[in-house]
Amino acid sequence: MLWIIRFSGFFSAAMLMIVLSPSLQSFPPAEAIRSSHHHHHLDYSYLRLPPPVLLSDSGSMVGAGGRLNFRKASAFRNSNECASPSPKTQIGDACDPNLVHVAITLDVEYLRGSIAAVHSVLQHSLCPESVFFHFLVSETNLEALVQSTFPQLKFRVYYFDPRMVRSLISTSVRQALEQPLNYARNYLADLLETCVERVIYLDSDLVVVDDISRLWTTSLGSRTIGAPEYCHANFTNYFTPAFWSDKRLSGTFDCRKPCYFNTGVMVIDLIKWRRGRYTKRIEKWMEIQKNRRIYELGSLPPFLLVFAGHVAPIEHRWNQHGLGGDNVKGSCRDLHSGPVSLLHWSGSGKPWLRLDSKRPCPLDALWSPYDLYGHTK
């Protein structure tokens, strides 16, 4: 195992920094697909399902290179101190008020990362049967693979049609940032059931090493979203000179103290989001970008334009981001100082690709225990 040999001496120090939650526990009951056509205020002329992803009888994905298998995860159970399901809801009902709601995207390219992220959440949760996953997809049949990997998981799958945003997306510094599914987070308030009043959004290239309920219970106060903020970052770099030279555009930050935040980990108050019509506000800036070229970084800048300076600050431990290096080279990075509850490989370098290539970064070994992937012919 070459990656073990190459793993540097600071591995032990990094492990000591990580607060690993209680024990391996257990997985929650599965739900069927729910497409966004349940929401009559959207334009459903777009909603034509694409050809399904081809799966074998066992639920593994079949491609030109053979079957892509995910091992079935061990069962996890709630501890005795966890709240019982509400008597007013059925088993697997997303409207149970005792649930923690987590949204994450599923696509073929990042599927390995998404599965590892789910596995990490459940492994470190004191009440894993009380976590409900909302999966956003642009390809059908992926729910069968999830169910075969996590047989007891509470989840629903929501189809997000790429044509909803394709006309609004402009080119970015990295092609991966231009994928329509990156923008599905903008539409969570429309896609999820109206009874879901709060959701944690997680990117696919991270693992959680703490109890997700601690993030869930974060107070947002009067704010619509919460995220770790990084006010030392040079905020002007996230927008072009054309943006800053036009007072009609840059004036949006007047009377604000904007700070950078990473949209890969957010706690969102969906009631406030719906009330404030924030999806439309984000779309407005994307339309301006198509005509004026005011930023270079995909789905992040519209969030900064709408929310920076109005974000409920969350502890930095909940997004140790940048472990994938920069957006071009994907070079190795160290952990930031301080405690760690979530490791995030944002940037161009992904741990599963580096591990497979036998050229991992030291911290990639912290991702591999959650990897359930296997490849057979």
Side-chain angles (χ1 to χ4, degrees):
M1 297 288 286
L2 182 59
W3 63 269
I4 293 178
I5 296 171
R6 297 184 59 200
F7 195 58
S8 77
F10 74 82
F11 168 77
S12 56
M15 287 298 290
L16 288 173
M17 291 174 64
I18 296 177
V19 182
L20 295 176
S21 262
S23 77
L24 302 168
Q25 311 231 2
S26 106
F27 292 74
E31 284 294 313
I33 194 163
R34 177 182 186 274
S35 81
S36 55
H37 68 263
H38 290 191
H39 299 269
H40 303 294
H41 55 284
L42 294 176
D43 178 3
Y44 297 102
S45 61
Y46 288 59
L47 293 177
R48 296 185 180 89
L49 295 178
V53 174
L54 184 59
L55 300 177
S56 70
D57 292 340
S58 64
S60 61
M61 190 161 52
V62 180
R67 290 181 180 176
L68 305 177
N69 295 317
F70 288 89
R71 302 185 302 278
K72 184 168 73 172
S74 302
F76 289 77
R77 301 294 177 200
N78 279 1
S79 72
N80 293 333
E81 57 198 270
C82 299
S84 300
S86 171
K88 296 181 181 180
T89 57
Q90 298 179 344
I91 293 177
D93 189 346
C95 295
D96 186 336
N98 294 320
L99 294 174
V100 172
H101 294 276
V102 177
I104 191 168
T105 60
L106 292 179
D107 72 298
V108 172
E109 185 176 358
Y110 282 80
L111 189 60
R112 188 170 171 185
S114 298
I115 294 295
V118 172
H119 192 203
S120 71
V121 169
L122 296 169
Q123 184 165 320
H124 294 291
S125 177
L126 191 66
C127 304
E129 293 179 284
S130 301
V131 181
F132 196 104
F133 286 89
H134 303 265
F135 294 118
L136 311 174
V137 305
S138 291
E139 298 147 311
T140 60
N141 275 11
L142 290 177
E143 74 277 6
L145 189 147
V146 172
Q147 190 163 357
S148 67
T149 306
F150 304 109
Q152 295 176 294
L153 192 68
K154 284 188 175 80
F155 74 93
R156 287 187 180 165
V157 174
Y158 306 76
Y159 178 67
F160 179 74
D161 194 310
R163 288 170 291 186
M164 294 278 289
V165 293
R166 190 164 280 145
S167 64
L168 293 172
I169 298 174
S170 55
T171 56
S172 182
V173 295
R174 183 158 58 91
Q175 189 173 8
L177 300 177
E178 301 169 23
Q179 298 306 310
L181 201 57
N182 285 339
Y183 296 83
R185 73 195 82 187
N186 303 0
Y187 298 88
L188 285 168
D190 294 321
L191 293 170
L192 273 56
E193 293 83 351
T194 55
C195 65
V196 179
E197 299 180 351
R198 171 184 280 221
V199 69
I200 297 171
Y201 177 82
L202 298 178
D203 270 351
S204 298
D205 53 357
L206 55 78
V207 292
V208 176
V209 292
D210 201 346
D211 194 329
I212 196 72
S213 67
R214 295 189 177 113
L215 179 59
W216 175 254
T217 55
T218 298
S219 173
L220 300 185
S222 62
R223 305 304 192 188
T224 300
I225 70 169
E229 290 185 296
Y230 303 89
C231 296
H232 62 277
N234 187 345
F235 194 79
T236 59
N237 289 343
Y238 293 98
F239 301 95
T240 63
F243 171 83
W244 293 113
S245 64
D246 189 332
K247 190 60 179 176
R248 294 171 300 175
L249 300 175
S250 60
T252 192
F253 292 121
D254 289 350
C255 303
R256 286 202 252 171
K257 294 182 178 179
C259 295
Y260 162 76
F261 63 95
N262 181 282
T263 55
V265 180
M266 295 185 290
V267 181
I268 304 173
D269 185 322
L270 295 174
I271 295 176
K272 291 188 177 76
W273 185 291
R274 293 170 182 131
R275 188 183 301 143
R277 297 174 59 82
Y278 284 104
T279 297
K280 291 296 182 185
R281 299 190 196 189
I282 289 172
E283 287 180 334
K284 176 185 174 182
W285 282 110
M286 292 175 69
E287 290 169 356
I288 292 172
Q289 161 73 355
K290 292 290 287 187
N291 296 319
R292 299 290 302 274
R293 195 66 186 177
I294 59 175
Y295 55 80
E296 304 288 349
L297 275 176
S299 61
L300 168 66
F303 263 85
L304 297 179
L305 287 159
V306 172
F307 290 111
H310 298 311
V311 174
I314 291 175
E315 287 183 277
H316 287 180
R317 66 188 301 150
W318 284 107
N319 196 350
Q320 281 269 349
H321 68 289
L323 302 184
D326 59 30
N327 280 308
V328 180
K329 296 180 180 179
S331 53
C332 296
R333 296 276 180 88
D334 291 346
L335 288 172
H336 308 295
S337 60
V340 181
S341 293
L342 184 149
L343 296 156
H344 188 186
W345 280 261
S346 57
S348 60
K350 302 307 173 189
W352 56 92
L353 297 177
R354 297 195 295 215
L355 287 164
D356 285 352
S357 71
K358 310 300 183 185
R359 300 181 65 184
C361 292
L363 290 177
D364 294 345
L366 300 180
W367 178 89
S368 60
Y370 307 100
D371 185 18
L372 293 173
Y373 173 79
H375 184 219
T376 61
K377 292 293 184 181

